[in-house]
Every structure is written in structure tokens, then in C-alpha cells.
Amino acid sequence: MNNKIGCFGWAVIIFVLALAITYWYIVVPIAAIVGGLYYWYHKQSTPKRAQRAQDHETQLKALKTMSLLPIDESDSTGVILKSTELPYFKSTTTVNWEEERTHTTRFNYSGVTSHVKLMQGVYWRSGSVKPMNEQTTQLEIIHTGTVLLTNQRLIVLAADGRVKQVLYSGIANVVPYADGVGVMKTRGKDVYLTGDIDGEQLAIYLIRLITGDVAAHPDATLIESEPTSEAANLVEPDATEDAALVPEFPADDPALPPLTVKDIFDLTKTSSDMPVRLDETHKFYDFQSDDLDIKEYAEAYHTNPEETRKMAEQLLDELMDLSQEINTATKTTDYTFRQYIGKPDFELLFAQVKNNHVDYFLFDDPKFIQIAKEAVPEQTSSDQPLTDATTGPAQPATDLAAELRQLKQLVNEDVLTPEEFKAKKKQLLGI
């Protein structure tokens, strides 16, 4: 997939050509001998290469039509799988997870310049010196590990336990290459898996698992070589604990009326304790996650913004999977799905998606830090030190010092402003 020769390669080619031109009387006989040997070897190996190509094609056809069975459970996959998740393929060699990266190089020189003195105080200038930016986009290795394909996601597991993954619901197309596979995503950067792998074989596994086509084809009807976006949208991903808000849907039955969003909402209320609400007029389906706190998110974001954002994006992916599952069950895309976090219920919006598109994400909101500050609960009057003799004894000095240190820590973490800290300090000291 990477055919760049590079400056060193061109230098070697030019050097070899120069030698060939200089010593042509030696190069020509050697070239004739080497050419003859190559022709003879190529002619002798043609039947074997044709047989290998035919065997490979037969294997690919068999892989397209045979039944895909899960890997033996006694074989460790190295990752924690969900309750309904089954592994179907695990590579024996390592692959590279590559993504496109853009680099900008700044040049301070452009064009040929000259500066000539014509007479005293008179100069003639030609050309220009000005800054220029050049952008180059290239594939870079982001992660390395073994490939694991389940019925729900593509996973690349590194030797140290680090994981990169793509949910099948977020894959729009799979492109096979001779030395790898291109995974075209509906959101985010596309992924290219390269290395010592059979790209066509891996692509077939991916396509069949994405489309849910794991059964055998006795009539030898081959599946399509590439999945369409519509086929990818029909995958029913598994709902995790944080997003397991939808019970098992009844199977399609022509004798039964079609399933509606209201039916799923009623089933959800009886099978889950998590608060939900439905607005049939404006087509909103809302979920509330009480175990997610904006203050904890803000503190974690200040400490490690990259990891905190990854965790938030995983929750966003789960919401998208859930909305897609409901859309598939009801055969409609009219509803907008919103997830709220914190207390009180249905006040702080975390994410909003519709038809596999993200309309809002809290971590993309420029006001996220301000929202986090506003979400910090104000100290109530019951937390103030009791200095009046009629109301009871004053707060111990040790507790007061500890509370002041906690408030100072919040200032260092940008949760409280210096002005808010001073006000709290005066309030605690009774000034």
C-alpha cells in the first residue's frame, strides 16, 4: 500500500544507471545472461504459481460460502468479551494499525533571489524570500498487535494489553489490499491494517461478520465483495451495561403489528431502573445516566484529557449503537436520542444522535469547562461553621483547615475561581 521510493532510492537508481552507461560493455552481457536465467526460471515456475493462485482462489470461495464457527472457548482471546459476544477469528501474526496523519513543514525560501548594487544607495533585487507551508499526508503506524474479530467488533490487541477497536456499526466499507485491509469508518479516521496477513481473507471475514452472514451457503451463492452502508447499518450491536436500556425485541412476524418506538419505551420502563422519557410529538427519546457525574469528568479531564475523552467517546459509541438498534427494530429513523448525566435528571445533556449522526457531544462543546464549573454544587448554609452560641459549637479548627485545603485544591484544578475561593474562605471563617 506504500509505494514511495524515497530520496535514497532515487539516488541509488541514478548511481546504478550512471555505472551502467559508463561500463556498458560489461553490463550488457551480464544483463543478457541474467535475463535468460530469469526467463527460464519464470517459465519453469509458471505452473506452480498458477496452481498456488488457483488454490488461493478456491480457499477464498470456500471462505465465502462455508459456515463461520466461533473459536474454541478454551483459547484465550486476551480481551474481556461481552455476554453475547463471540470470537470468530484471531490472527497468528501481528499487524499494524495505520491512520493518515498530516504534517506541515515551513520553508523560509521561495524562488531564486539576487541582490546587485548598481550605484551608491541604488540596488537591484530579483526573486523573493518569503515563508511557505507545505503539507504532506501519509499513513503512520499508530498501534501494533494481533487481530481479533468477534460478532460485534474488530480488535487489535497489543502484547502489553493495549487495545484499539472499531465497532461494526461504525464501518461503512471494507477494501481488501494485497498486504492488508482498509476499514472505511462512518465517523473518525479510516483505519488500514497492514502486515504479514492475507488482506482478501481478512476482508471476507469482516464483511460476513458485519452483515451477520455466518451461516453456510449450500447453493454456493457468494456474498458481495464489499458491504454497503445500508448493510452496515443493519448490524445489531450488543448493548453494554451503561447502555443496556432496550430489552430483547420480538422477532419479526408478519402476523404481528410492526414494533414502534413507544412499544420499546414501554418495554424498557418495565425492564430497567434507569430513568427514560419519550416525546412522541417532537420525536425525542431520552436516557438518564445517574452514575456519571460532570464534576468527576471535569477533574479527570484536567488530569488526563486524552484518556478521559476516549472514555467519553466509548459512551458516545454505545449511545449510537443503542439508537441504531432501536432504528433497526422499528424500521424508522425519525427519533433523536439524547443521553443526560448527573443530577437533577434530564438537565445536563451529554450527547445527542440521530440516524447514526452525532448532533451534540459534551466534550466538543467549547463551554465544557464552564459547564463543569457550574455543575459543582454550591456549599449550603448547613456546611457553614456555627459560631453563634445559640446554634451550637463552632466547627473544629482541624476540620476547617482540611476544608480550606480541599477548596485550594479545587482552585488548582480550575474548578473554582480565586474569587470563589476567597468568598468561601470568608464564609468558613465567619468574616
Side-chain angles (χ1 to χ4, degrees):
M1 287 163 45
N2 188 356
N3 297 321
K4 292 184 178 180
I5 298 177
C7 296
F8 179 75
W10 284 113
V12 171
I13 292 174
I14 293 173
F15 178 74
V16 172
L17 289 176
L19 288 178
I21 293 173
T22 303
Y23 300 100
W24 64 269
Y25 51 89
I26 298 176
V27 172
V28 170
I30 294 177
I33 295 173
V34 172
L37 292 175
Y38 174 78
Y39 175 77
W40 175 81
Y41 174 78
H42 183 77
K43 187 175 181 180
Q44 294 294 323
S45 62
T46 296
K48 295 181 179 179
R49 287 187 289 106
Q51 184 62 40
R52 285 198 299 267
Q54 184 178 357
D55 293 342
H56 183 256
E57 186 67 25
T58 303
Q59 291 176 358
L60 295 180
K61 288 183 178 180
L63 185 58
K64 292 178 180 179
T65 57
M66 72 179 188
S67 175
L68 298 183
L69 300 176
I71 300 175
D72 188 354
E73 295 183 359
S74 61
D75 296 335
S76 175
T77 60
V79 295
I80 299 175
L81 302 180
K82 302 173 185 178
S83 58
T84 59
E85 191 173 14
L86 298 174
Y88 279 85
F89 173 84
K90 184 177 181 180
S91 65
T92 56
T93 59
T94 58
V95 300
N96 299 321
W97 179 298
E98 299 186 14
E99 295 180 2
E100 287 187 346
R101 291 290 186 268
T102 301
H103 299 277
T104 301
T105 305
R106 184 178 179 87
F107 298 94
N108 293 321
Y109 171 81
S110 175
V112 179
T113 61
S114 61
H115 193 71
V116 181
K117 182 178 179 181
L118 300 179
M119 62 180 66
Q120 184 67 30
V122 179
Y123 296 89
W124 177 74
R125 185 186 180 97
S126 175
S128 63
V129 177
K130 60 181 180 180
M132 295 182 60
N133 292 331
E134 182 183 34
Q135 288 189 339
T136 57
T137 301
Q138 60 187 19
L139 288 176
E140 294 185 2
I141 299 176
I142 308 300
H143 187 70
T144 301
T146 57
V147 176
L148 176 65
L149 301 181
T150 73
N151 56 335
Q152 297 172 21
R153 51 182 172 156
L154 179 157
I155 304 171
V156 176
L157 176 64
D160 59 1
R162 293 183 298 113
V163 169
K164 296 283 285 185
Q165 66 175 6
V166 181
L167 297 176
Y168 291 156
S169 58
I171 298 179
N173 198 6
V174 177
V175 181
Y177 296 97
D179 60 344
V181 172
V183 180
M184 310 296 113
K185 300 166 60 178
T186 57
R187 185 170 59 90
K189 293 183 179 294
D190 295 332
V191 176
Y192 297 88
L193 302 179
T194 62
D196 187 16
I197 57 173
D198 189 331
E200 292 180 293
Q201 184 185 59
L202 184 59
I204 293 173
Y205 266 107
L206 263 176
I207 293 170
R208 295 193 62 179
L209 292 172
I210 289 173
T211 56
D213 179 26
V214 296
H217 298 269
D219 55 353
T221 301
L222 302 183
I223 60 173
E224 297 179 1
S225 59
E226 295 181 356
T228 62
S229 58
E230 178 182 3
N233 289 336
L234 292 179
V235 179
E236 296 184 3
D238 176 55
T240 62
E241 292 182 359
D242 289 333
L245 308 178
V246 182
E248 293 294 331
F249 302 137
D252 293 337
D253 189 342
L256 297 176
L259 197 64
T260 65
V261 176
K262 182 63 166 59
D263 296 333
I264 294 178
F265 176 76
D266 293 337
L267 291 171
T268 302
K269 291 186 66 176
T270 59
S271 61
S272 174
D273 295 332
M274 188 172 290
V276 291
R277 68 181 182 183
L278 182 68
D279 185 348
E280 295 184 272
T281 303
H282 300 94
K283 306 295 185 183
F284 285 112
Y285 197 145
D286 299 337
F287 309 98
Q288 171 68 38
S289 297
D290 293 334
D291 56 340
L292 301 179
D293 183 75
I294 184 63
K295 181 179 177 181
E296 295 177 358
Y297 261 133
E299 293 175 351
Y301 189 80
H302 288 303
T303 305
N304 193 336
E306 184 176 350
E307 288 299 323
T308 306
R309 183 177 179 88
K310 286 182 179 179
M311 293 174 59
E313 288 178 346
Q314 289 180 359
L315 293 176
L316 175 61
D317 289 337
E318 290 169 0
L319 178 63
M320 294 187 67
D321 292 343
L322 179 62
S323 65
Q324 188 175 341
E325 186 175 357
I326 296 177
N327 289 339
T328 301
T330 60
K331 296 180 175 59
T332 179
T333 58
D334 295 337
Y335 273 81
T336 299
F337 298 87
R338 301 182 297 192
Q339 183 171 359
Y340 292 83
I341 62 174
K343 287 288 188 180
D345 291 348
F346 301 112
E347 282 203 3
L348 181 58
L349 182 62
F350 174 76
Q352 175 175 311
V353 301
K354 181 179 182 181
N355 195 18
N356 209 28
H357 180 269
V358 179
D359 296 329
Y360 175 82
F361 183 40
L362 179 63
F363 278 64
D364 290 336
D365 192 334
K367 300 179 180 179
F368 166 61
I369 301 300
Q370 184 62 33
I371 292 176
K373 290 181 180 179
E374 294 174 355
V376 177
E378 295 292 337
Q379 191 174 18
T380 61
S381 59
S382 62
D383 298 325
Q384 299 177 7
L386 302 178
T387 57
D388 195 333
T390 60
T391 57
Q395 186 174 357
T398 54
D399 294 344
L400 181 61
E403 190 161 356
L404 286 174
R405 282 195 295 269
Q406 291 178 358
L407 291 174
K408 185 62 176 177
Q409 181 67 22
L410 292 177
V411 174
N412 296 336
E413 295 175 353
D414 293 334
V415 177
L416 289 179
T417 62
E419 291 76 17
E420 292 172 337
F421 172 76
K422 291 178 182 179
K424 291 292 184 183
K425 182 178 179 181
K426 290 181 179 180
Q427 188 180 31
L428 291 173
L429 296 176
I431 302 175

